[in-house]
């Protein structure tokens, strides 16, 4: 029996060839590393090792670490997006969003400094929050006022979570690019 056949018969898989990578799998693995080891540990080399592939193969799915971090931020933020209840008023939906956002932040304490310095991409954030923003619109609250309200609540929740978790071990104090508050949807500080 060949070594490859022996591995397959013992449940060893496809004979040394790693499982197919997808952008979703890469981002999920990045979140696993971030949760377990902190932001400083999240390197392309470490991510490749975690996935059992060469770091260079990751670049087919994410062009660089900054893009990876942006994808992680979007992935985590999407965990806080709530399903709206029928006829739910904007203030109740906003409260539930705040609770869900806080829950996500506390479930991923190493990610809080990242979310504080890397806002969600504007277009993707607007898409994720379309239902919530629509509740404001249905109540006669204009688009910019609705966006300001959601941003204000998100920043408040993020700031409080940052104060709660501090800087978790394995995560360097957050530094990031200057942020234009008018150009972003959520979490800005």
């Amino acid at each position: 029996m060949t070594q490859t056949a022996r591995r397959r018969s013992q449940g060893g898989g496809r004979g040394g060839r790693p499982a197919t990578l997808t952008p979703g799998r890469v981002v999920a693995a990045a979140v696993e590393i971030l949760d377990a080891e902190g932001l400083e540990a999240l390197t392309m080399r470490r991510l490749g090792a975690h996935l059992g592939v060469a770091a260079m193969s990751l670049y087919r799915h994410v062009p660089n670490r900054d893009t990876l971090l942006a994808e992680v931020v979007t992935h985590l933020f999407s965990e806080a997006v709530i399903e709206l209840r029928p006829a739910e008023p904007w203030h109740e939906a906003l409260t539930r969003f705040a609770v869900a956002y806080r829950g996500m932040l506390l479930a991923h304490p190493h990610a809080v400094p990242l979310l504080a310095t890397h806002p969600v991409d504007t277009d993707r954030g607007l898409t994720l929050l379309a239902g919530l923003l629509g509740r404001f619109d249905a109540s006669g609250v204009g688009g910019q006022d609705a966006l300001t309200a959601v941003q204000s609540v998100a920043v408040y929740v993020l700031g409080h979570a940052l104060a709660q978790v501090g800087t978790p071990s394995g995560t360097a104090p957050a530094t990031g690019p200057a942020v234009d508050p008018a150009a972003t949807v959520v979490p800005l500080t």
Side-chain angles (χ1 to χ4, degrees):
M1 181 182 270
T2 67
Q3 189 175 20
T4 301
R6 190 175 304 116
R7 264 188 299 210
R8 284 185 181 161
S9 70
Q10 296 171 348
R14 298 168 30 179
R17 185 175 167 97
T20 304
L21 289 180
T22 63
R25 188 162 174 248
V26 170
V27 171
V31 171
E32 290 172 7
I33 293 169
L34 179 63
D35 285 345
E37 302 172 38
L39 186 56
E40 291 297 308
L42 183 53
T43 64
M44 298 304 264
R45 179 173 288 163
R46 174 68 185 95
L47 182 57
H50 183 75
L51 289 165
V53 300
M56 292 305 292
S57 65
L58 298 173
Y59 292 101
R60 292 185 191 131
H61 305 282
V62 288
N64 53 48
R65 186 171 187 263
D66 288 338
T67 301
L68 174 66
L69 294 178
E71 292 298 324
V72 166
V73 165
T74 300
H75 173 83
L76 291 173
F77 184 74
S78 69
E79 288 183 15
V81 175
I82 58 167
E83 289 289 325
L84 297 171
R85 297 175 181 149
E88 182 176 29
W90 69 263
H91 54 87
E92 289 177 15
L94 183 58
T95 300
R96 285 193 320 103
F97 163 72
V99 170
Y101 188 44
R102 181 176 181 273
M104 180 279 295
L105 292 167
L106 296 181
H108 302 280
H110 287 289
V112 175
L114 174 65
L115 287 156
T117 58
H118 291 74
V120 175
D121 172 75
T122 301
D123 292 336
R124 292 172 89 181
L126 287 171
T127 299
L128 288 168
L129 293 172
L132 178 59
L133 293 170
R135 293 301 165 106
F136 283 85
D137 188 47
S139 297
V141 178
Q144 189 57 49
D145 289 339
L147 189 56
T148 299
V150 172
Q151 285 178 318
S152 297
V153 168
V155 170
Y156 178 83
V157 169
L158 180 61
H160 191 265
L162 193 56
Q164 280 186 283
V165 303
T167 302
S169 61
T171 303
T175 58
V179 177
D180 175 7
T184 56
V185 175
V186 284
L188 339 165
T189 56

